[in-house]
Amino acid sequence: MALKASELSVGDTHAERLVEDLKRTQIVMYAGASGDYNPVHTDEVFTTQVAGYPSVFAHGMLTMGMTGKMLTNYVGDGRLTEYGVRFTNQVFPGDTLDATATVTEVADGIVALEVSTVNQNGVEVLKGTAKARVD
Amino acid sequence: MAVEKFPVEASHIMMFARSIGDGNPIYYDEEHAKGTEPGGIIAPPTFAQASAQFDPNHGLRPKIGGDGWFGSGGAPTGAKPRGERKSGGGGGGGGGLHAEQRFIYHRHMKPGDVLSATTRPGKTWEKQGRRSGKLVFSESVTEYRDSNGELVVTAIGVGVRTERPVDQG
């Protein structure tokens, strides 16, 4: 289901809950699938005693991947042409994340989106932009 | 990162999609995917990152027969991480983090693709951080090409090394 340019306006939004109470196991799954085995994501002993963080934390790319799900659900399969983010705060086990895409421009068959993902405290953990082909 | 051969496989796409909590059948169900606009299974938008699995020198994977691995075993940490992290962004050992990532899709990856990836360094810059001291950012640009040499995905990663762990709160 692709978006239609004629039905889009600047300021339109699409929002989805990405994850509720993020589990360490999901972070382990992401480590296994992506190949990023940095122990700061999966090894509580190392992360608290050596790396100096209160807990293991999610790969930024897991947050980007989950946020990508919201984007592809919105713009349709295979429609993204660009997707870029900054990781603005860490994501920890127990976090609940909500992502929003906001239309910033529709021109020449492309929709430009602003992307933001926030945690349960309203703190932005990811901020970015995306572009997708529209009909 | 230099990856000579990144074979894109359906089971890897399925596992990757599961790990990001994406149940879209276009990532695992060939029959469903045939009826979609792409006409077959494709990879989720951040799948290029999983090419690290095919980087023989990926610094964030314990190396078989290598000189050990950092992380807890009998002690809170074992060996120090090998070298610098090449793919994506941050570094190993708790001092490096992934700051930014951008993908440009020339087309979407699909099972059967055999890609190669070459990475060149981009800009580097410094900033004084409020919560983690001096920050050193470095960019890398990775081009994923198919067996015909056509560009599939361009990935721009920015890693940051922090002076100390990021203060919480």
mmCIF file of all heavy atoms in Angstrom, chain B residues 127-148:
data_model
loop_
_atom_site.group_PDB
_atom_site.id
_atom_site.type_symbol
_atom_site.label_atom_id
_atom_site.label_comp_id
_atom_site.label_asym_id
_atom_site.label_seq_id
_atom_site.Cartn_x
_atom_site.Cartn_y
_atom_site.Cartn_z
ATOM 1 N N LYS B 127 33.961 17.771 19.323
ATOM 2 C CA LYS B 127 32.969 18.598 19.985
ATOM 3 C C LYS B 127 33.126 18.382 21.480
ATOM 4 O O LYS B 127 33.519 17.292 21.908
ATOM 5 C CB LYS B 127 31.581 18.094 19.535
ATOM 6 C CG LYS B 127 30.469 19.103 19.617
ATOM 7 C CD LYS B 127 29.210 18.525 18.982
ATOM 8 C CE LYS B 127 28.109 18.399 19.998
ATOM 9 N NZ LYS B 127 26.855 17.886 19.432
ATOM 10 N N GLN B 128 32.835 19.413 22.253
ATOM 11 C CA GLN B 128 32.844 19.241 23.705
ATOM 12 C C GLN B 128 31.458 18.799 24.148
ATOM 13 O O GLN B 128 30.485 19.513 23.921
ATOM 14 C CB GLN B 128 33.258 20.557 24.394
ATOM 15 C CG GLN B 128 33.642 20.412 25.860
ATOM 16 C CD GLN B 128 34.813 19.456 26.110
ATOM 17 O OE1 GLN B 128 35.746 19.405 25.313
ATOM 18 N NE2 GLN B 128 34.747 18.678 27.180
ATOM 19 N N GLY B 129 31.365 17.615 24.732
ATOM 20 C CA GLY B 129 30.050 17.086 25.123
ATOM 21 C C GLY B 129 29.684 17.515 26.530
ATOM 22 O O GLY B 129 30.555 17.680 27.383
ATOM 23 N N ARG B 130 28.396 17.686 26.749
ATOM 24 C CA ARG B 130 27.902 18.103 28.051
ATOM 25 C C ARG B 130 27.962 16.931 29.039
ATOM 26 O O ARG B 130 28.200 17.098 30.210
ATOM 27 C CB ARG B 130 26.453 18.573 27.859
ATOM 28 C CG ARG B 130 25.791 19.294 28.998
ATOM 29 C CD ARG B 130 24.510 19.987 28.492
ATOM 30 N NE ARG B 130 23.799 19.226 27.472
ATOM 31 C CZ ARG B 130 22.895 18.269 27.747
ATOM 32 N NH1 ARG B 130 22.580 17.965 28.985
ATOM 33 N NH2 ARG B 130 22.294 17.623 26.768
ATOM 34 N N ARG B 131 27.727 15.709 28.543
ATOM 35 C CA ARG B 131 27.574 14.572 29.444
ATOM 36 C C ARG B 131 28.709 13.548 29.349
ATOM 37 O O ARG B 131 28.700 12.569 30.064
ATOM 38 C CB ARG B 131 26.244 13.868 29.155
ATOM 39 C CG ARG B 131 25.037 14.760 29.446
ATOM 40 C CD ARG B 131 23.748 14.007 29.213
ATOM 41 N NE ARG B 131 23.597 13.631 27.813
ATOM 42 C CZ ARG B 131 22.956 12.537 27.404
ATOM 43 N NH1 ARG B 131 22.442 11.705 28.261
ATOM 44 N NH2 ARG B 131 22.835 12.288 26.120
ATOM 45 N N SER B 132 29.672 13.766 28.442
ATOM 46 C CA SER B 132 30.696 12.728 28.298
ATOM 47 C C SER B 132 32.073 13.268 27.923
ATOM 48 O O SER B 132 32.909 12.538 27.430
ATOM 49 C CB SER B 132 30.236 11.705 27.258
ATOM 50 O OG SER B 132 29.799 12.361 26.093
ATOM 51 N N GLY B 133 32.338 14.563 28.191
ATOM 52 C CA GLY B 133 33.650 15.124 27.891
ATOM 53 C C GLY B 133 33.866 15.324 26.404
ATOM 54 O O GLY B 133 32.906 15.468 25.637
ATOM 55 N N LYS B 134 35.140 15.315 25.992
ATOM 56 C CA LYS B 134 35.440 15.566 24.587
ATOM 57 C C LYS B 134 34.942 14.427 23.703
ATOM 58 O O LYS B 134 35.120 13.254 24.018
ATOM 59 C CB LYS B 134 36.957 15.730 24.396
ATOM 60 C CG LYS B 134 37.312 16.257 23.009
ATOM 61 C CD LYS B 134 38.787 16.557 22.861
ATOM 62 C CE LYS B 134 39.547 15.285 22.516
ATOM 63 N NZ LYS B 134 40.943 15.550 22.136
ATOM 64 N N LEU B 135 34.329 14.802 22.590
ATOM 65 C CA LEU B 135 33.780 13.819 21.661
ATOM 66 C C LEU B 135 34.543 13.896 20.352
ATOM 67 O O LEU B 135 34.750 14.983 19.813
ATOM 68 C CB LEU B 135 32.299 14.126 21.387
ATOM 69 C CG LEU B 135 31.380 14.205 22.602
ATOM 70 C CD1 LEU B 135 30.027 14.792 22.216
ATOM 71 C CD2 LEU B 135 31.200 12.827 23.208
ATOM 72 N N VAL B 136 34.989 12.748 19.860
ATOM 73 C CA VAL B 136 35.651 12.714 18.562
ATOM 74 C C VAL B 136 34.782 11.900 17.605
ATOM 75 O O VAL B 136 34.560 10.701 17.810
ATOM 76 C CB VAL B 136 37.060 12.096 18.668
ATOM 77 C CG1 VAL B 136 37.739 12.083 17.303
ATOM 78 C CG2 VAL B 136 37.905 12.853 19.686
ATOM 79 N N PHE B 137 34.291 12.585 16.578
ATOM 80 C CA PHE B 137 33.403 11.943 15.612
ATOM 81 C C PHE B 137 34.191 11.542 14.371
ATOM 82 O O PHE B 137 35.060 12.284 13.909
ATOM 83 C CB PHE B 137 32.307 12.921 15.173
ATOM 84 C CG PHE B 137 31.338 13.285 16.265
ATOM 85 C CD1 PHE B 137 31.595 14.354 17.115
ATOM 86 C CD2 PHE B 137 30.167 12.565 16.442
ATOM 87 C CE1 PHE B 137 30.696 14.695 18.119
ATOM 88 C CE2 PHE B 137 29.266 12.892 17.443
ATOM 89 C CZ PHE B 137 29.525 13.967 18.284
ATOM 90 N N SER B 138 33.885 10.385 13.817
ATOM 91 C CA SER B 138 34.487 10.027 12.533
ATOM 92 C C SER B 138 33.459 9.322 11.658
ATOM 93 O O SER B 138 32.695 8.476 12.115
ATOM 94 C CB SER B 138 35.724 9.153 12.732
ATOM 95 O OG SER B 138 35.378 8.019 13.482
ATOM 96 N N GLU B 139 33.480 9.735 10.405
ATOM 97 C CA GLU B 139 32.484 9.266 9.441
ATOM 98 C C GLU B 139 33.106 8.201 8.542
ATOM 99 O O GLU B 139 34.292 8.281 8.217
ATOM 100 C CB GLU B 139 32.082 10.485 8.600
ATOM 101 C CG GLU B 139 30.937 10.289 7.665
ATOM 102 C CD GLU B 139 30.678 11.572 6.871
ATOM 103 O OE1 GLU B 139 31.504 11.920 6.000
ATOM 104 O OE2 GLU B 139 29.662 12.235 7.122
ATOM 105 N N SER B 140 32.298 7.230 8.135
ATOM 106 C CA SER B 140 32.759 6.284 7.121
ATOM 107 C C SER B 140 31.636 6.074 6.104
ATOM 108 O O SER B 140 30.455 6.104 6.449
ATOM 109 C CB SER B 140 33.153 4.956 7.759
ATOM 110 O OG SER B 140 32.028 4.365 8.351
ATOM 111 N N VAL B 141 32.041 5.916 4.869
ATOM 112 C CA VAL B 141 31.077 5.772 3.778
ATOM 113 C C VAL B 141 31.273 4.395 3.149
ATOM 114 O O VAL B 141 32.364 4.077 2.676
ATOM 115 C CB VAL B 141 31.284 6.872 2.708
ATOM 116 C CG1 VAL B 141 30.258 6.722 1.583
ATOM 117 C CG2 VAL B 141 31.194 8.258 3.346
ATOM 118 N N THR B 142 30.223 3.591 3.186
ATOM 119 C CA THR B 142 30.302 2.229 2.652
ATOM 120 C C THR B 142 29.378 2.094 1.453
ATOM 121 O O THR B 142 28.210 2.475 1.522
ATOM 122 C CB THR B 142 29.904 1.206 3.729
ATOM 123 O OG1 THR B 142 30.748 1.376 4.852
ATOM 124 C CG2 THR B 142 30.041 -0.221 3.218
ATOM 125 N N GLU B 143 29.924 1.561 0.372
ATOM 126 C CA GLU B 143 29.122 1.329 -0.832
ATOM 127 C C GLU B 143 28.911 -0.165 -1.029
ATOM 128 O O GLU B 143 29.879 -0.932 -1.089
ATOM 129 C CB GLU B 143 29.821 1.918 -2.062
ATOM 130 C CG GLU B 143 29.810 3.429 -2.049
ATOM 131 C CD GLU B 143 30.430 4.040 -3.297
ATOM 132 O OE1 GLU B 143 31.141 3.315 -4.042
ATOM 133 O OE2 GLU B 143 30.210 5.238 -3.526
ATOM 134 N N TYR B 144 27.659 -0.544 -1.106
ATOM 135 C CA TYR B 144 27.293 -1.941 -1.371
ATOM 136 C C TYR B 144 26.931 -2.064 -2.846
ATOM 137 O O TYR B 144 26.038 -1.367 -3.326
ATOM 138 C CB TYR B 144 26.093 -2.352 -0.518
ATOM 139 C CG TYR B 144 26.376 -2.353 0.962
ATOM 140 C CD1 TYR B 144 26.253 -1.193 1.722
ATOM 141 C CD2 TYR B 144 26.790 -3.514 1.609
ATOM 142 C CE1 TYR B 144 26.528 -1.190 3.084
ATOM 143 C CE2 TYR B 144 27.064 -3.525 2.973
ATOM 144 C CZ TYR B 144 26.933 -2.361 3.701
ATOM 145 O OH TYR B 144 27.204 -2.363 5.041
ATOM 146 N N ARG B 145 27.644 -2.943 -3.539
ATOM 147 C CA ARG B 145 27.397 -3.141 -4.974
ATOM 148 C C ARG B 145 27.020 -4.593 -5.249
ATOM 149 O O ARG B 145 27.489 -5.499 -4.558
ATOM 150 C CB ARG B 145 28.649 -2.785 -5.783
ATOM 151 C CG ARG B 145 28.951 -1.297 -5.760
ATOM 152 C CD ARG B 145 30.225 -0.944 -6.531
ATOM 153 N NE ARG B 145 30.485 0.484 -6.393
ATOM 154 C CZ ARG B 145 29.938 1.426 -7.173
ATOM 155 N NH1 ARG B 145 29.153 1.074 -8.179
ATOM 156 N NH2 ARG B 145 30.198 2.698 -6.960
ATOM 157 N N ASP B 146 26.219 -4.801 -6.286
ATOM 158 C CA ASP B 146 25.857 -6.176 -6.645
ATOM 159 C C ASP B 146 26.908 -6.766 -7.582
ATOM 160 O O ASP B 146 27.920 -6.126 -7.886
ATOM 161 C CB ASP B 146 24.428 -6.230 -7.215
ATOM 162 C CG ASP B 146 24.276 -5.472 -8.521
ATOM 163 O OD1 ASP B 146 25.304 -5.193 -9.193
ATOM 164 O OD2 ASP B 146 23.131 -5.145 -8.867
ATOM 165 N N SER B 147 26.657 -7.998 -8.030
ATOM 166 C CA SER B 147 27.679 -8.700 -8.818
ATOM 167 C C SER B 147 27.899 -8.061 -10.185
ATOM 168 O O SER B 147 28.877 -8.359 -10.859
ATOM 169 C CB SER B 147 27.322 -10.184 -8.947
ATOM 170 O OG SER B 147 25.978 -10.309 -9.347
ATOM 171 N N ASN B 148 26.975 -7.166 -10.591
ATOM 172 C CA ASN B 148 27.193 -6.416 -11.841
ATOM 173 C C ASN B 148 27.898 -5.090 -11.598
ATOM 174 O O ASN B 148 28.063 -4.297 -12.528
ATOM 175 C CB ASN B 148 25.850 -6.132 -12.521
ATOM 176 C CG ASN B 148 25.120 -7.406 -12.898
ATOM 177 O OD1 ASN B 148 25.737 -8.364 -13.362
ATOM 178 N ND2 ASN B 148 23.821 -7.434 -12.660
#
